[in-house]
Amino acid sequence: MELSRPIPLASFFERVFAPRHRAFWLVVGNGVLWQMSYVLVDGRQVIAALLMQLTGREWLVGLTLGMGTAVMSFPQLYAAYLMADGRARMPFYRFGAHVRWGAVAVLSVALALFHHRPLLLAGMVVCCLATTWAGLGYGSVAFGDIFARTVPARLRGRCFGLRLLGGGLIACALGGLVRRMLGEHSPLAFPFNYVLLFGISLVLLILGQSCFMCIDEPPLPARERPEGGFGPFVRHAASVLAGDRDALRYALFGTFTPAAWAPLILILPYALTQFGMHAGVAGWFVVVGVVAGVASNPFWAWASDRSGNRVCLRLTTALALAAVGLLALTPLVAERYRTIGGISAPLAWLLLVNAISEIALVGSSIGRTNYAYEIARDGDVPLYLAVFSAFTAPASCIGLPLLGWVAGRFGYPVVFAVAGLCGTAAVAMTLFLSEPRRRPPGGTVTDLCSDASTALLADSDAERRALCEVGD
């Protein structure tokens, strides 16, 4: 049998970065910069710390973190409606990006001007974040459709893995900046420590989204939009979901996940209110979360590409359920131990739980995003993304603030119990999800996986050589 000849290093790089992989690397660059931007305004840590400093109310944190899906759903549906005739997607992404940039800029200015009026400032924080979510919703369906048409299905796991890996490595240092700025000995007084974080985040966000805008969007054939206006289109979207058994099961799965993840989303308020920790611990949570995410994302990327995204959804949902169980044990750990590894026992245990939840979150992000792309019918990616978002919006928008209020009124054990029940139901729902890659050819965007552009990123020399013969 003929042995595979080694590929020269220069030839390898020439092939990996060939023009036909330009979109792949632009998406990776976009994700790296986005990850760096996000870590400075992480909703579960930085935004939660800011709102707790301003109001001390868990329900407001839950509302802010839970409203994202609901606020995104209408712009997603409307953008999908406008795109239904086959028009170019990139202008939608650009408009959504500009909305987000403006909202973050306004929020930074508001922090500097209204810090003496905490309730007013908290309301402005919620409004500005809602605006950023609306901009994200308007542009996300365009992002998903362009991504699905330019990056082959079996490269998407490693694409998202590289996004998280590259951004995560740098985000570790930025997590240290968060810890420094929000700590008790911060060089900048409140609120200018947050203003600095938000300002740097805005610059990185602009660079990252500009990177995605450099992708050359493939043309789309003109299509007829469903008859009538936006209202009939919404009814058409609902009928699409009702008529697709696999999509409906996935949407039902999504209704259980907000409550199942709620304690992990409220982990910082839990640390501040139940154990008297300082807001500066947000930096520790960011650093530990980033390290855990970076360490785990190669596995999730491999699992997504090799075993399918259904496997990722099953594993991450079960892992999140386990993390909630460990979080509920924190008071017992605090009673039994004073320190763990030189760190106060409650903080050390919460950092461990946060690391586990971040591992699950990274896998869930890769699995859910790619599963939604794969389950959508060919040409209907924007419609499916919008429908999934709208279907799960009530559970997120109502469930998270409600559980935040329950935590403040009745205590966190009640929240843990509800999350345990919903998490168990979500794990059970994953057993009924189908594997989109087993569908017959010609029905979904997954057929792009056979494109010869997978050659230069193949996993073996034999596979790479065979595919290169087709492509070259």
Side-chain angles (χ1 to χ4, degrees):
M1 181 175 63
E2 181 182 356
L3 296 177
S4 300
R5 291 177 296 174
I7 299 177
L9 187 61
S11 177
F12 171 76
F13 280 105
E14 181 181 353
R15 291 181 175 184
V16 168
F17 295 101
R20 60 178 172 271
H21 288 304
R22 183 170 181 266
F24 177 94
W25 293 111
L26 285 172
V27 173
V28 170
N30 161 263
V32 168
L33 290 165
W34 179 87
Q35 178 83 354
M36 295 164 58
S37 172
Y38 177 77
V39 76
L40 297 173
V41 292
D42 187 338
R44 294 174 302 135
Q45 316 300 344
V46 179
I47 298 298
L50 173 60
L51 291 174
M52 290 299 290
Q53 279 188 263
L54 292 173
T55 68
R57 298 170 183 173
E58 288 98 334
W59 70 265
L60 188 59
V61 176
L63 172 65
T64 305
L65 300 181
M67 70 181 179
T69 304
V71 174
M72 287 172 59
S73 60
F74 178 80
Q76 283 179 321
L77 275 172
Y78 189 68
Y81 163 70
L82 294 177
M83 293 179 191
D85 59 2
R87 68 183 66 185
R89 285 26 175 163
M90 190 61 79
F92 293 86
Y93 181 83
R94 290 196 184 97
F95 180 81
H98 293 156
V99 170
R100 294 176 69 186
W101 301 349
V104 176
V106 170
L107 177 57
S108 301
V109 174
L111 283 169
L113 296 181
F114 300 103
H115 60 279
H116 296 300
R117 305 180 66 180
L119 292 181
L120 173 63
L121 181 55
M124 295 187 71
V125 169
V126 174
C127 291
C128 288
L129 290 176
T131 305
T132 63
W133 281 111
L136 175 60
Y138 194 79
S140 63
V141 288
F143 175 93
D145 188 74
I146 295 171
F147 175 76
R149 289 187 289 120
T150 55
V151 178
R154 294 192 184 279
L155 293 183
R156 293 174 195 160
R158 72 194 72 182
C159 182
F160 278 101
L162 287 172
R163 284 162 58 96
L164 293 171
L165 177 63
L169 291 174
I170 304 175
C172 290
L174 295 178
L177 176 64
V178 172
R179 181 171 57 86
R180 175 68 170 156
M181 287 296 106
L182 302 187
E184 295 184 80
H185 305 291
S186 172
L188 293 177
F190 176 86
F192 299 102
N193 50 351
Y194 287 97
V195 173
L196 176 64
L197 296 178
F198 282 37
I200 298 174
S201 175
L202 176 59
V203 173
L204 293 171
L205 179 63
I206 292 173
L207 293 175
Q209 295 196 294
S210 298
C211 191
F212 186 82
M213 293 176 194
C214 293
I215 293 177
D216 297 321
E217 179 186 354
L220 281 165
R223 302 176 60 184
E224 289 189 12
R225 185 184 290 118
E227 294 182 2
F230 180 62
F233 176 80
V234 173
R235 290 192 292 271
H236 165 71
S239 67
V240 169
L241 179 63
D244 189 329
R245 183 179 60 182
D246 295 335
L248 184 59
R249 288 176 177 175
Y250 177 63
L252 289 172
F253 160 75
T255 62
F256 288 101
T257 54
W261 287 80
L264 306 177
I265 293 173
L266 296 172
I267 191 170
L268 184 69
Y270 181 61
L272 300 183
T273 59
Q274 304 301 306
F275 301 97
M277 298 182 189
H278 189 272
V281 299
W284 284 110
F285 284 111
V286 169
V287 172
V288 170
V290 168
V291 171
V294 169
S296 66
N297 98 79
F299 168 76
W300 295 121
W302 172 84
S304 172
D305 285 346
R306 286 300 183 186
S307 301
N309 296 291
R310 181 178 60 175
V311 171
C312 293
L313 295 179
R314 289 176 178 174
L315 292 178
T316 56
T317 306
L319 193 59
L321 180 61
V324 170
L326 293 175
L327 185 61
L329 297 177
T330 307
L332 297 178
V333 174
E335 290 179 6
R336 182 159 185 169
Y337 303 98
R338 295 182 60 85
T339 61
I340 299 177
I343 306 175
S344 68
L347 178 58
W349 187 257
L350 290 176
L351 290 176
L352 172 64
V353 174
N354 186 66
I356 296 173
S357 68
E358 191 66 27
I359 291 171
L361 183 63
V362 168
S364 178
S365 176
I366 292 175
R368 295 190 67 170
T369 301
N370 286 322
Y371 191 87
Y373 293 156
E374 291 184 358
I375 206 171
R377 296 171 183 169
D378 192 17
D380 282 331
V381 171
L383 176 62
Y384 271 69
L385 295 180
V387 169
F388 289 146
S389 178
F391 191 90
T392 59
S396 178
C397 188
I398 298 173
L400 287 180
L402 178 61
L403 288 175
W405 176 81
V406 168
R409 182 66 181 271
F410 301 104
Y412 279 88
V414 180
V415 178
F416 296 148
V418 173
L421 292 174
C422 291
T424 302
V427 171
M429 282 297 302
T430 63
L431 301 178
F432 296 95
L433 296 178
S434 65
E435 176 49 64
R437 295 180 188 177
R438 294 178 183 173
R439 285 182 176 179
T444 69
V445 293
T446 58
D447 302 325
L448 291 171
C449 70
S450 63
D451 193 282
S453 60
T454 59
L456 304 185
L457 294 175
D459 291 316
S460 69
D461 288 344
E463 183 184 2
R464 184 184 299 112
R465 186 172 63 253
L467 289 170
C468 282
E469 289 176 357
V470 176
D472 295 339

